[in-house]
Amino acid sequence: MAVKDRGNIRRLSVALLTSVAVCALPLTAPLVHAQSLSDSAVTAGQLPDDAKLLLAANELVYDRDAERVVANGAVQINYAGYQMVARQVVYDQKSGRVTAAGNIELVEPTGNRIYAESLDVTDNFSDGFLRALRVETADNTRLVAESAERVGGTQMILHKGVYTACLPCAENPSRPPIWQVKAERVVQDGKKQTIRLEKARFELFGRSIATLPFLVVPDNTVKRKTGFLFPEFRSGENVGFGISVPYYIAIAPDRDATITTTGFSTQGVLLEAEVRQRFEKGEANLRLAGISQMNTDEFTAGTSDAQRDFRGLVASKGDFKINPRWSFGWDVMLQTDNNFARTYGVEGLNSSTNTNTVYLTGIGERNFFDMRGYYFDVQDADLNDTAEEKQATVLPVIDYSYYAPELVAGGQLSGTLNFTSLSRFSGEAADMNGDGINDLYRGLKGNVNRLSGELAWERTFDGPGGLQITPLLAARGDVYGLAMDAPANYSGGYTSNDAPARALLTAGVEVRYPWLITTDNSTHIIEPIAQIYARNDEDFAGQLPNEDSQSLVFDASNLFSRNKFSGFDRVEGGTRANVGMRYTGSFDNGVGVRAVIGQSYHLAGLNSYATDDLLAVGTDSGLETDVSDFVASAGFELPIGLSLSAGVRLDEKTLDVRRTDLNATYAQDRFETSLTFTQVDARPEYSFDEDNQTITSSSTVKLNQNWSVFGSVNYDIDANTFNRRSVGISYADECTVFSIAYSDKYDPNDETANDWTIGGKLVFRTLGEINLSDTTF
């Protein structure tokens, strides 16, 4: 074939492929989103000139006189990743038009499929017409129109368009999808970058539930555009039912904002605004919210919810990456009272305790630095902010760790540093004995500064038969600056030194001797472990403020820890040995077993866990005696989806159970559940004077492929009270997600404005989602 003929045929193919793609520009927006691969082929110039062309047809005719190229019968064109078939294709050079007819199908490189019965388009693609258009995208969205036309090179008009992201019913394809959007006319304006849907109807299960005379949304070339977002529904016991209407504002490419108006049936209008700004190395936002309450008497009298009419907050969050190693940021909130954000469920700020944080973090290959400041905003209904004033304000706390890059004497040398400065506006004390005298001090009024540092070296030697010996040497020092009110009637003797210092030297060794046992169908590892640490006594034991070592739970997880206190303020002194055994089993049938059992022994010096402490942390911990309680844990994983775990602490003399932790989880295709039981003996001198037994459970039952029911419960056995309950139902398929749940919470002090909530969500894939409150307390 002549070069001129090949050029015309190539022009025909490129024109045809591009014209179909151009004429099938999709609808894309919060309302309609049918992302077509035509994004990559809007103009002929975007198709590569050097791409190979393959054209096949039963008959190919080039009429030089009429200047027409005609391909007849089973026309197939492959070009630049596009594949197209049609019955007939005609290119008229005189009129400059390309026509195609008969079961036109175009498959784009990313998998989108475009179908049409006939095509008539100019070769410069400014004007054209498609009949019986159907677009099926790779993400299973569908767009159908009786006809489509391109006008003036800038507008695309679809007549009687239907859009859905739902797959057709396999058993009855003629049945309407779960949801679809119909419009008499859809106009896409390339200059304005908008899509106008005229007489748009949203149908659910074949029934029209919403109709709009017109709706204008951004097209697929616009990532952000000012306009209304989907509404959200909220509800609460004392605020009533509410509808939130968000309005999005695209201020600049790096800045946007959202203004949300919520009308509550009981309390009036809540206004929220958020401005977001992106920078080259981070982002930040500013949030405002406020309401003038209409009916404060709906809240419990004498609470902060009922105290004032106007309530509001200011909040900000920022995250910045200075360089690949350093970052800083903040997350802070200031509100008119201590419960506003929680009462009205302000997203992200409605937890029972909101932690205000400022931080600077650096991460290196061998070191780590972190500096933070904390202010704890306790959200309750107390008019006097009693709980919040008892919380410590921490500014700053600095942590640094370092690992030497080279071995020192064949071992690893490491160092840690911690500096903490905190203050408290009000002390917190409790009378645990009921004699009218405070004997438990959770926090002292005033300021404390502490600098702690430790240098440690350890090395592992491999002995005969797999024996592993790990010696350790460590030196630690702490320096305090105290300006706190001394606790009254404290029997432990609170220090009178304003600048106490303490030092701790440790020499220890750990010995492990793992035994590997194999059988025909299983593998077992039995590993006896013994540790001994020799140290001087803890200086000022129990005589210093205890701010970060207030929690002490002795169990199998920390049996082999060198210091079983949780923070820096308390440190384990004296000579102690930890002895136990670890077992791991694996069976060919998929069963896995693990277990730990052991005991700790105080050998010499002062037992830090037996000393007086402002919080009596060591009392009844299982470590206060020379021979500790027994601790053990075991876990099983079964191939049927069942996992079991148990942990216990047994009295070293009577073997009475002091603490129990049981957990069971089961998961299969139709049913998932978890059950947790916790039992803790009373520790009257530490924090609670009654035994505590709690059951927590959550389950999900899949009724069929789409429907599920779920629920959770937290039950206090001793108080015979449900602390929290929730139940809900959900539906999910390829295009729709729906869930609704009820949740309540036991509030003995009546400090929560909403004891129950109803939360829900309705998501239409590619369209958007509608939220109904949430179930967060």
Side-chain angles (χ1 to χ4, degrees), residues 279-571:
F279 301 89
E280 182 180 355
K281 294 186 177 181
E283 58 185 3
N285 70 4
L286 176 65
R287 301 178 64 181
L288 305 171
I291 187 174
S292 179
Q293 298 184 141
M294 296 190 308
N295 298 298
T296 56
D297 55 354
E298 290 290 331
F299 299 104
T300 303
T303 64
S304 58
D305 292 303
Q307 182 67 16
R308 61 176 69 220
D309 294 330
F310 176 79
R311 307 173 70 185
L313 64 81
V314 178
S316 179
K317 184 176 182 180
D319 294 288
F320 291 87
K321 195 81 172 176
I322 302 173
N323 56 41
R325 294 189 175 185
W326 287 92
S327 61
F328 79 96
W330 65 87
D331 188 353
V332 296
M333 177 185 70
L334 178 66
Q335 53 184 344
T336 56
D337 60 89
N338 58 356
N339 208 34
F340 167 68
R342 192 181 186 200
T343 298
Y344 286 94
V346 179
E347 185 178 0
L349 303 173
N350 57 344
S351 59
S352 59
T353 300
N354 188 74
T355 304
N356 294 272
T357 309
V358 181
Y359 71 89
L360 172 66
T361 300
I363 301 176
E365 294 181 359
R366 309 286 298 183
N367 55 4
F368 171 79
F369 174 88
D370 185 81
M371 179 171 65
R372 293 176 183 265
Y374 296 98
Y375 180 81
F376 301 97
D377 191 348
V378 179
Q379 301 200 72
D380 57 22
D382 181 10
L383 284 173
N384 299 317
D385 291 333
T386 304
E388 184 170 321
E389 290 183 358
K390 294 176 180 178
Q391 296 295 313
T393 299
V394 185
L395 188 67
V397 56
I398 300 174
D399 286 290
Y400 178 77
S401 61
Y402 174 79
Y403 292 87
E406 304 292 338
L407 296 179
V408 177
Q412 176 67 64
L413 182 68
S414 62
T416 60
L417 184 72
N418 174 269
F419 174 75
T420 300
S421 177
L422 64 84
S423 59
R424 186 177 283 103
F425 300 105
S426 176
E428 182 177 6
D431 175 15
M432 302 303 296
N433 295 323
D435 55 6
I437 300 176
N438 292 327
D439 45 28
L440 190 68
Y441 302 87
R442 296 189 177 95
L444 301 178
K445 181 180 178 181
N447 176 263
V448 58
N449 297 284
R450 175 183 43 76
L451 177 64
S452 302
E454 182 180 69
L455 195 65
W457 174 91
E458 62 179 338
R459 178 181 179 182
T460 299
F461 297 89
D462 295 324
L467 179 67
Q468 291 184 323
I469 302 174
T470 304
L472 176 140
L473 297 173
R476 169 176 167 160
D478 302 89
V479 179
Y480 282 82
L482 302 179
M484 308 190 88
D485 293 350
N489 304 316
Y490 175 51
S491 60
Y494 184 76
T495 180
S496 58
N497 191 340
D498 292 339
R502 65 186 182 186
L504 189 73
L505 300 177
T506 302
V509 63
E510 177 185 85
V511 179
R512 298 171 180 257
Y513 194 38
W515 299 340
L516 175 62
I517 302 173
T518 60
T519 67
D520 293 339
N521 58 5
S522 63
T523 300
H524 309 267
I525 299 176
I526 301 174
E527 186 179 25
I529 303 173
Q531 299 172 328
I532 185 169
Y533 297 108
R535 294 161 291 211
N536 56 289
D537 293 343
E538 178 188 9
D539 296 325
F540 299 97
Q543 301 178 32
L544 298 171
N546 182 358
E547 296 289 347
D548 67 356
S549 300
Q550 298 187 3
S551 175
L552 175 60
V553 177
F554 177 48
D555 57 22
S557 67
N558 62 4
L559 170 63
F560 299 110
S561 296
R562 178 158 55 99
N563 181 16
K564 298 175 179 60
F565 288 112
S566 57
F568 288 89
D569 285 336
R570 291 300 309 270
V571 60

Side-chain angles (χ1 to χ4, degrees), residues 67-109:
E67 296 186 46
R68 297 177 68 207
V69 180
V70 181
N72 287 314
V75 181
Q76 298 183 36
I77 301 174
N78 290 271
Y79 181 73
Y82 289 83
Q83 303 176 37
M84 179 177 172
V85 297
R87 242 189 354 252
Q88 183 186 67
V89 177
V90 178
Y91 174 44
D92 191 323
Q93 288 179 278
K94 289 183 178 180
S95 64
R97 303 193 72 85
V98 177
T99 61
N103 300 324
I104 301 171
E105 178 182 352
L106 173 68
V107 181
E108 296 180 327

Side-chain angles (χ1 to χ4, degrees), residues 153-383:
T154 60
Q155 285 192 339
M156 184 69 192
I157 302 174
L158 279 69
H159 301 278
K160 295 189 182 300
V162 180
Y163 170 79
T164 184
C166 301
L167 295 174
C169 177
E171 299 176 356
N172 184 9
S174 61
R175 188 197 315 182
I178 294 178
W179 63 263
Q180 60 185 359
V181 178
K182 291 183 177 181
E184 288 293 320
R185 211 167 78 117
V186 181
V187 180
Q188 183 183 45
D189 192 312
K191 290 184 177 180
K192 297 180 180 179
Q193 297 179 301
T194 60
I195 296 174
R196 179 185 175 94
L197 296 97
E198 300 176 356
K199 296 183 180 179
R201 301 194 314 275
F202 181 81
E203 293 186 357
L204 190 64
F205 299 106
R207 297 185 178 276
S208 178
I209 63 170
T211 302
L212 292 174
F214 71 91
L215 181 66
V216 179
V217 293
D219 67 12
N220 61 329
T221 64
V222 178
K223 295 183 178 180
R224 305 181 309 145
K225 192 172 183 66
T226 300
F228 287 99
L229 304 178
F230 268 83
E232 177 181 345
F233 299 92
R234 302 186 186 182
S235 67
E237 181 183 6
N238 296 321
V239 299
F241 182 78
I243 300 178
S244 298
V245 181
Y247 186 77
Y248 176 79
I249 305 173
I251 303 172
D254 59 349
R255 189 183 310 117
D256 58 15
T258 303
I259 299 175
T260 304
T261 303
T262 305
F264 287 101
S265 60
T266 303
Q267 297 300 339
V269 178
L270 172 70
L271 293 177
E272 300 174 75
E274 180 178 6
V275 179
R276 296 167 290 270
Q277 173 74 57
R278 284 188 175 274
F279 301 89
E280 182 180 355
K281 294 186 177 181
E283 58 185 3
N285 70 4
L286 176 65
R287 301 178 64 181
L288 305 171
I291 187 174
S292 179
Q293 298 184 141
M294 296 190 308
N295 298 298
T296 56
D297 55 354
E298 290 290 331
F299 299 104
T300 303
T303 64
S304 58
D305 292 303
Q307 182 67 16
R308 61 176 69 220
D309 294 330
F310 176 79
R311 307 173 70 185
L313 64 81
V314 178
S316 179
K317 184 176 182 180
D319 294 288
F320 291 87
K321 195 81 172 176
I322 302 173
N323 56 41
R325 294 189 175 185
W326 287 92
S327 61
F328 79 96
W330 65 87
D331 188 353
V332 296
M333 177 185 70
L334 178 66
Q335 53 184 344
T336 56
D337 60 89
N338 58 356
N339 208 34
F340 167 68
R342 192 181 186 200
T343 298
Y344 286 94
V346 179
E347 185 178 0
L349 303 173
N350 57 344
S351 59
S352 59
T353 300
N354 188 74
T355 304
N356 294 272
T357 309
V358 181
Y359 71 89
L360 172 66
T361 300
I363 301 176
E365 294 181 359
R366 309 286 298 183
N367 55 4
F368 171 79
F369 174 88
D370 185 81
M371 179 171 65
R372 293 176 183 265
Y374 296 98
Y375 180 81
F376 301 97
D377 191 348
V378 179
Q379 301 200 72
D380 57 22
D382 181 10
L383 284 173

